[in-house]
Amino acid sequence: MISFVAKLQFLKNFKFPPRTTDEEKIVFAYTKGYTVRQTAQCFCFGSHKICRVIKHYKETGEILKPVNHRKLKLTPDVLASIH
C-alpha cells in the first residue's frame, strides 16, 4: 500500500501538459482517488473551488470551464482617449 506522503508527492510532481487548467487538474486528482483535502494541499486551491468542480463533474461528466471574475476596466471610450 502506498503511504500518504508518497501519494501526495506523486500528485505534486506529476507533469501536466502545458495549458492544463486548474479544473482539469482537480478532475484528474478526483479520478485518481484523492480527497478534497489532499487536492487542496497539492495544488493550493480552496476547498470550495474543488468541491464546485467535482460536483459539476459528477452531475454532467464534463470538466467545468475556468471562471473569469474580472471584467475589463478599459472601455472603448477610455482606449480611444488614450490613443
Side-chain angles (χ1 to χ4, degrees), residues 12-83:
K12 282 184 179 181
N13 296 330
F14 189 81
K15 299 294 181 196
F16 288 99
R19 297 190 182 259
T20 302
T21 64
D22 294 346
E23 289 76 7
E24 291 171 339
K25 291 178 183 179
I26 292 169
V27 170
F28 173 79
Y30 171 72
T31 56
K32 295 294 182 189
Y34 289 89
T35 64
V36 172
R37 179 178 282 176
Q38 292 169 340
T39 306
Q41 269 186 320
C42 288
F43 297 128
C44 298
F45 300 145
S47 60
H48 178 72
K49 177 178 183 172
I50 296 169
C51 291
R52 180 175 46 84
V53 171
I54 290 173
K55 180 181 176 188
H56 186 268
Y57 181 73
K58 283 181 181 178
E59 290 174 354
T60 63
E62 297 176 354
I63 297 174
L64 191 63
K65 298 217 191 280
V67 177
N68 282 336
H69 293 285
R70 188 164 218 200
K71 293 184 178 179
L72 186 62
K73 288 186 176 182
L74 297 175
T75 63
D77 295 333
V78 172
L79 289 173
S81 66
I82 291 173
H83 283 80

